[in-house]
Amino acid sequence: MPTLPHACLFAALAVAAFGVNAQEGAAVTDPHQWLEDVEGEKQLAWVREQNAKAEAELADTPGFKALEADLLAIYDSDDKIPGVYKQGDWYYNFWKDRNHERGLWRRTTLEEYRKPQPKWETVLDLDALNRAEGENWVWHGANCLRPRLSTEPYTRCLVALSRGGADADVTREFDLSTKQWVDGGFFRAEAKGGLGWVDQDTVYAYTDFGDGSMTSSGYPRIVKEWKRGTPIESAAVVYEGQADDMYIAAGHDHTPGYERDFVMRTIAFYNDELYLRNADGSLTRVDVPNSAQKSVQREWLGIELREPWEVGGRTYKAGSLLVAKFDDFMAGTRELEVLFEPSDTTSLAGSSFTKNHLVINVLDDVKNRISVLTPGPDGWTRSELAGVPEFGTVSASAVDSDESDALWMTVTDYLTPTTLMLASAAPGAAAPEVLKTQPAFFDASKHAVEQHFVSSKDGTRVPYFLVRPKDMALDGKNPTLLYGYGGFEIPMVPGYSGGTGKGWLNGPDGSRGGVYAVANIRGGGEYGPRWHQAALKANRHKAYEDFAAVAQDLIARKITSPAHLGIRGGSNGGLLTGNMLVQYPELFGAVVIQVPLLDMQRYHKLLAGASWMAEYGNPDKPEEWAFIQKFSPYHLFDPAKDYPPTLILTSTRDDRVHPGHARKMHALMSAAGKDVRYYENIEGGHGGAANNRQAAHMDALYLTFLWQQLGRGRDAE
C-alpha cells in the first residue's frame, strides 16, 4: 500500500537584534523581514549582489575551477551505479550526466543490466522536453498503473514534474507503449500534492482545489476520486481533513487478491491515521496508535511502535515491530506477534516483504544486521540473510514482492565504493550476485574509519564516526569537518561520497587531506524512536549538547582544535549548525549553514513550516516560545559577540524551508559586521541544486571556504 531562555533574557536579545523599545514594550518590525518575499525584484537584486560577493571571494580563486571540475566529473560520471526498479519485465532508471543535465527516464532488461555497459531504451528525455516546451522541469518520479494480468505490460503512468526543483509539481499522464503524453489524459496543475491510480479511468486526487483546500502547512487537505473525462472540480470528495492537519492522501493497493483502498490522514510528523475505504465509500479506522508507522502487505498489518502500546492485556515496547492478520485485526481480534524488540543499542532500520518472507534491517550501535523472518503455521521463524558482509552500511529491499524472494542488496561505507548485489531471502539461496560496483572516485588508501563514543552533558553515550588519515599527527592542527543532522528520526549511517572524498579527504591538491567526522546525535534515528524523542521541543538543546560534546572530544583527542574545526549541516542540520554558531562559537573555525531554519519565531508561518511543530513546538504559544527561543539562532545572535567565519547557502526555489531564513540571518550578521558570506542558487529546491552542474558549483563553494578557513585557521585561542 502507499506509505506513505527566560522572558527577560529574550528581551535583552531582542534589544540587541531588532531594536525593541524595552521601555515601551513594543517591538519594531524585523528590519529584514522584507527578504521573505522570495521572488520580489528588489529581493532578487539583493540575492544577486550577495552571490557576486561570495563568488568573488570563493570562486575567483586558483583552485576553485579545478575542484568544481573534479566534482562535476564525479557527479556526471557514467560509471555511477544506475539504480533500477522492476516494473513488469523491465528495469527502470532515471539517469543524469554531462549530456543530460535534467535526465533520462530509461529502461532495460535484467539480462542487459547484468552487463558492464547495458543497452538502455529511452522512455522520456527531460532535457529534450524542456527545450521543446521552454520549461525547466525537474523529475519528481512516475507512478505507473499495474496491469490486471501479470502477463500484460505496463502502459499508463502518472509523471510528476517540478519547475526548478520545487516541492510543488504538476502531474501528466504518459503512455509507455507510445512514449508520448496522453492527449486529454489526466492532468494536475502545479501544486503540492499528487494523483494515484485506482484503475485506468479513475485516480485519487489530492491537490490544491482552490480556497480552503490546503492545510496550514501548505499541503492537500482534501482527497477526491476523479473519473477520466470529467473536470477535476466535479470529482467526488473522499475525505476532508482539518485545516491544521498536515497532509491528506489516498491510495489503492493493486496486489492481486488483496485489492484495498486506504485514506491517509497525516496530522503532524509521527501523528497519522490510516483508514480502510469500504466498498460503499465509508471509512473504517485502523485502530492502532497515531504515532505508530502502519503498513499493509497482502494479509499482514505491520505496526512499528514509536511509543509503548498497551493492548490485549500486554504492553509492547516502543521501537518494536508487530504484525497481525489484517482482516482479523479489522474484525476486532488483537493477536499480535513481536518480530523485533529493541535493546539499549539496537533499533529497527527498515523492513521489506518479499513473496514469502520479511527481511528486517537492525542497527546495532549504528551498524547493520539483517535477518529473514518467515511466517508459518506455528508462527514466524528467523534466519540470517546469506552473504551479508560483517562491516559497512547494508540495505536490502524486495525486487518484486509479488513475484519472488529476490532482493536488491547494497553495501557501502565512507571509504568503500557502493556495491549493488542481487540476493535472495529464500532458504539455502546462493551467495549474492554482484551486479554493479561503483568506481573509486578518490584515493581512500591513506584513510581509516573509526567509531568513537563520547558522554554528552547529561551523561548520555553518543557515537560518532571518524574518517582520518592513517598517519594523522595528534597535534590539534588537522583540518576537520564535523557533520550532523539530529532530527526527524533520521539516522546518519556511513556511506560513500565521491565528492566528500575528493574535495575533503584527499584535500585541495591531493597531497594533504582532511579529517571527516559524523555525529550520531539525539533527534536522529540511530537508536530508534527514543533517540528521536529525547531531543523534541523543550529538549532540543540535547541535540546541540551532543554535537558540542563530539566537537570537544575531537579537540580533547588533539585530532583538531577550534582554529581547524569546521561544521556543516543542511535543513534541520542547518538549524543545528546555526545553533552551534551562536551558542558555541568558541569551538569552531568555520561554519557552513545550508538550506536552514533559523528564525524559529516565524518558521511555522513560512511554507511547510507548520508541519514541523511536532518536532520544534508552536511559537505562538507563550509556554512553547519560552523554550523555542532558546534554539532560534536568529534571536540568539548577539552583535557584541565574536563568531567564526560563516557561509550560508540556500535556494530560491526551495518551497519547503523558506529561503528567508538564510537571507535574514545573513543580513543580520552582515549589518553587525560579522565575517559571513552568502550564496543562493536561483533554482534547486530543498536539495539546493537542480542539476549536477549546480551541485558541483555549490559544493565547490563550501569546500573552498572550509579549506580557506581551516587550512590556515583562526589564531589559536
Side-chain angles (χ1 to χ4, degrees):
M1 62 161 283
T3 54
L4 304 155
H6 296 300
C8 56
L9 176 56
F10 175 68
L13 291 169
V15 169
F18 300 128
V20 171
N21 188 324
Q23 290 181 336
E24 295 178 3
V28 177
T29 301
D30 176 359
H32 307 301
Q33 193 166 316
W34 66 278
L35 289 167
E36 291 178 4
D37 184 349
V38 175
E39 295 186 331
E41 184 176 339
K42 180 182 178 182
Q43 288 77 6
L44 288 178
W46 179 92
V47 166
R48 293 186 177 97
E49 181 183 357
Q50 311 314 312
N51 285 357
K53 293 176 183 177
E55 292 273 356
E57 178 186 350
L58 301 174
D60 294 345
T61 56
F64 181 87
K65 293 299 180 185
L67 174 57
E68 183 182 41
D70 285 345
L71 295 176
L72 184 57
I74 293 170
Y75 303 161
D76 276 347
S77 172
D78 292 336
D79 295 327
K80 299 190 304 290
I81 295 176
V84 294
Y85 61 94
K86 184 177 181 293
Q87 198 164 258
D89 294 331
W90 294 97
Y91 291 76
Y92 288 77
N93 162 260
F94 189 78
W95 180 259
K96 293 192 290 185
D97 58 27
R98 63 177 61 87
N99 298 316
H100 307 94
E101 283 197 345
R102 293 306 169 102
L104 294 171
W105 187 29
R106 59 187 190 172
R107 62 189 183 187
T108 190
T109 63
L110 181 58
E111 181 183 3
E112 277 293 321
Y113 188 66
R114 284 189 162 104
K115 298 177 181 180
Q117 298 295 330
K119 293 179 181 178
W120 295 94
E121 178 184 326
T122 297
V123 178
L124 180 63
D125 184 331
L126 229 62
D127 295 275
L129 180 67
N130 283 332
R131 288 191 295 269
E133 297 186 350
E135 281 285 1
N136 63 337
W137 295 124
V138 172
W139 182 256
H140 266 198
N143 172 12
C144 299
L145 176 64
R146 178 178 181 148
R148 289 176 295 178
L149 299 175
S150 61
T151 55
E152 296 177 342
Y154 283 73
T155 59
R156 294 298 177 92
C157 300
L158 297 169
V159 174
L161 302 172
S162 155
R163 285 186 173 91
D167 280 0
D169 51 23
V170 303
T171 305
R172 299 159 67 169
E173 187 175 0
F174 188 83
D175 191 325
L176 280 175
S177 61
T178 63
K179 300 176 188 174
Q180 299 291 326
W181 301 110
V182 175
D183 187 24
F186 287 112
F187 174 82
R188 183 182 63 88
E190 187 175 29
K192 292 182 181 180
L195 300 179
W197 293 108
V198 178
D199 56 44
Q200 185 157 327
D201 295 315
T202 314
V203 296
Y204 285 122
Y206 36 101
T207 189
D208 189 346
F209 296 107
D211 290 346
S213 67
M214 304 294 275
T215 67
S216 57
S217 298
Y219 296 110
R221 187 183 66 82
I222 301 170
V223 59
K224 298 183 179 184
E225 186 178 86
W226 183 21
K227 297 290 185 179
R228 185 182 298 279
T230 66
I232 193 171
E233 294 79 8
S234 65
V237 172
V238 173
Y239 184 80
E240 289 193 38
Q242 302 298 313
D244 57 353
D245 285 350
M246 178 178 166
Y247 202 119
I248 303 300
H252 178 81
D253 186 348
H254 296 267
T255 305
Y258 299 96
E259 295 88 348
R260 305 181 182 102
D261 291 81
F262 294 93
V263 170
M264 292 78 76
R265 178 195 180 200
T266 303
I267 301 167
F269 272 99
Y270 309 107
N271 181 0
D272 57 73
E273 297 172 348
L274 179 65
Y275 294 88
L276 176 67
R277 189 181 185 215
N278 304 306
D280 62 358
S282 62
L283 302 179
T284 304
R285 182 174 175 268
V286 181
D287 190 18
V288 300
N290 280 20
S291 62
Q293 182 174 315
K294 314 149 190 76
S295 62
V296 181
Q297 184 83 10
R298 296 191 295 271
E299 71 266 42
W300 299 105
L301 168 64
I303 308 167
E304 185 179 342
L305 298 178
R306 291 193 176 90
E307 298 172 335
W309 185 28
E310 185 175 350
V311 62
R314 180 176 174 181
T315 299
Y316 298 92
K317 192 175 179 179
S320 297
L321 175 63
L322 316 177
V323 294
K325 289 291 185 72
F326 180 78
D327 289 342
D328 293 345
F329 188 91
M330 296 303 290
T333 64
R334 293 297 179 263
E335 295 180 6
L336 301 167
E337 187 153 359
V338 180
L339 299 187
F340 170 79
E341 185 174 87
S343 69
D344 288 344
T345 62
T346 62
S347 66
L348 185 64
S351 61
S352 181
F353 270 99
T354 66
K355 184 177 182 179
N356 299 295
H357 308 277
L358 175 65
V359 179
I360 66 169
N361 193 340
V362 173
L363 279 181
D364 189 347
D365 272 336
V366 207
K367 296 181 286 289
N368 295 97
R369 304 287 182 262
I370 296 183
S371 301
V372 178
L373 304 178
T374 306
D378 298 322
W380 294 69
T381 58
R382 181 185 304 266
S383 60
E384 298 305 308
L385 181 64
V388 178
E390 184 177 354
F391 300 105
T393 297
V394 185
S395 67
S397 60
V399 174
D400 188 330
S401 61
D402 296 326
E403 292 191 0
S404 76
D405 291 320
L407 295 166
W408 301 118
M409 187 164 74
T410 61
V411 182
T412 186
D413 65 36
Y414 294 115
L415 300 178
T416 306
T418 303
T419 294
L420 173 65
M421 293 177 276
L422 187 61
S424 176
E433 171 192 358
V434 175
L435 293 176
K436 305 286 177 184
T437 299
Q438 190 178 37
F441 288 119
F442 64 94
D443 181 4
S445 64
K446 300 175 183 178
H447 281 74
V449 180
E450 301 172 349
Q451 187 182 34
H452 297 278
F453 296 84
V454 63
S455 291
S456 190
K457 184 178 180 179
D458 64 358
T460 298
R461 174 177 174 266
V462 178
Y464 70 93
F465 288 100
L466 183 70
V467 188
R468 62 164 183 85
K470 295 176 181 177
D471 60 354
M472 178 184 70
L474 295 177
D475 59 4
K477 296 181 181 180
N478 299 289
T480 301
L481 173 57
L482 173 59
Y483 182 85
Y485 186 77
F488 298 93
E489 208 174 315
I490 298 172
M492 296 291 103
V493 296
Y496 189 81
S497 168
T500 300
K502 187 74 173 179
W504 186 254
L505 295 178
N506 283 176
D509 56 7
S511 64
R512 57 186 175 89
V515 175
Y516 184 60
V518 177
N520 301 117
I521 62 178
R522 282 173 285 184
E526 288 84 352
Y527 295 103
R530 67 177 179 89
W531 201 244
H532 171 232
Q533 293 161 8
L536 291 178
K537 295 185 176 182
N539 289 320
R540 200 82 207 163
H541 62 96
K542 293 185 178 181
Y544 309 142
E545 290 169 357
D546 290 356
F547 198 79
V550 173
Q552 290 160 345
D553 196 56
L554 293 169
I555 295 167
R557 290 173 181 268
K558 295 192 179 298
I559 292 167
T560 191
S561 60
H564 301 281
L565 176 55
I567 56 173
R568 171 177 170 249
S571 189
N572 175 76
L575 176 62
L576 165 67
T577 53
N579 272 283
M580 292 296 109
L581 171 70
V582 296
Q583 297 195 52
Y584 301 88
E586 72 283 355
L587 291 179
F588 309 110
V591 176
V592 178
I593 303 172
Q594 295 181 271
V595 291
L597 292 90
L598 295 167
D599 180 355
M600 298 306 289
Q601 189 171 40
R602 286 182 51 75
Y603 85 92
H604 63 313
K605 301 180 185 296
L606 301 173
L607 298 175
S611 65
W612 310 320
M613 287 193 288
E615 190 84 7
Y616 306 123
N618 183 352
D620 286 341
K621 296 181 178 180
E623 67 275 17
E624 296 194 12
W625 174 242
F627 61 75
I628 296 171
Q629 63 188 358
K630 296 178 184 178
F631 60 85
S632 181
Y634 193 57
H635 299 89
L636 294 177
F637 174 79
D638 182 351
K641 279 188 176 182
D642 291 331
Y643 294 103
T646 302
L647 172 63
I648 303 175
L649 299 165
T650 193
S651 165
T652 307
R653 291 291 292 171
D654 188 345
D655 58 352
R656 191 179 311 171
V657 177
H658 198 288
H661 288 276
R663 291 178 179 182
K664 296 196 302 178
M665 191 70 181
H666 176 70
L668 182 65
M669 294 182 69
S670 294
K674 303 307 177 185
D675 187 356
V676 60
R677 65 283 297 142
Y678 178 92
Y679 185 85
E680 179 176 320
N681 190 27
I682 304 301
E683 291 187 299
H686 189 51
N691 56 45
N692 291 340
R693 176 177 47 80
Q694 294 174 12
H697 187 77
M698 296 190 76
D699 288 353
L701 287 173
Y702 91 74
L703 287 163
T704 298
F705 165 73
L706 289 172
W707 280 113
Q708 284 182 350
Q709 303 300 330
L710 305 179
R712 67 170 188 270
R714 293 186 294 159
D715 291 337
E717 297 289 334

